[in-house]
Amino acid sequence: QVQLVEFGGGLVQAGDSLRLSCAASGLTFSNYAMGWFRQAPGKERDFVAAITPSGSTTYYTDSVKGRFTISRDNAINTVFLQMNSLKPEDTAVYYCAANLAMVLTTVKGYDFWGQGTQVTVSS
């Protein structure tokens, strides 16, 4: 049974930092591309960042480039999202997702999803 569990969300002020973690179990983690998505109230779930199975290549949506960093540690089956210089518009539920082999920047196609963690940025 595959499980993805996100940690690290919370309430912060604009300009602060947060580090999200997503712990995976029940799959061969090093074979999976991992992605982070977010969904604000009343909006669709959007791509934030993704990383290849080896961690050699990363992808970001334009609005987070230079502020967010995705990384992974295959030894502990965990993917991270370091979020710096947070803005109120980053407020959303953040989800991690896993896809076998191929990196995707769209919601459709990911095999497994976590339950999400709330990030709230106050101005």
Side-chain angles (χ1 to χ4, degrees), residues 52-122:
T52 53
S54 68
S56 61
T57 306
T58 56
Y59 304 82
Y60 299 93
T61 192
D62 286 345
S63 63
V64 308
K65 285 179 181 177
R67 299 189 298 123
F68 290 12
T69 303
I70 187 172
S71 61
R72 66 190 295 160
D73 187 339
N74 287 347
I76 58 171
N77 291 357
T78 302
V79 62
F80 305 97
L81 186 67
Q82 177 67 43
M83 305 186 294
N84 298 329
S85 302
L86 282 161
K87 304 175 180 180
E89 51 263 43
D90 295 319
T91 296
V93 177
Y94 283 71
Y95 299 89
C96 71
N99 188 60
L100 185 63
M102 185 182 299
V103 169
L104 300 171
T105 59
T106 58
V107 170
K108 187 176 181 180
Y110 274 86
D111 300 314
F112 305 105
W113 291 85
Q115 83 291 346
T117 185
Q118 177 70 47
V119 171
T120 303
V121 184
S122 64

Side-chain angles (χ1 to χ4, degrees), residues 5-12 17-22 36 81 83 117-119:
V5 181
E6 298 97 337
F7 302 93
L11 171 63
V12 297
S17 298
L18 274 178
R19 189 193 197 202
L20 305 183
S21 302
C22 171
W36 284 97
L81 186 67
M83 305 186 294
T117 185
Q118 177 70 47
V119 171

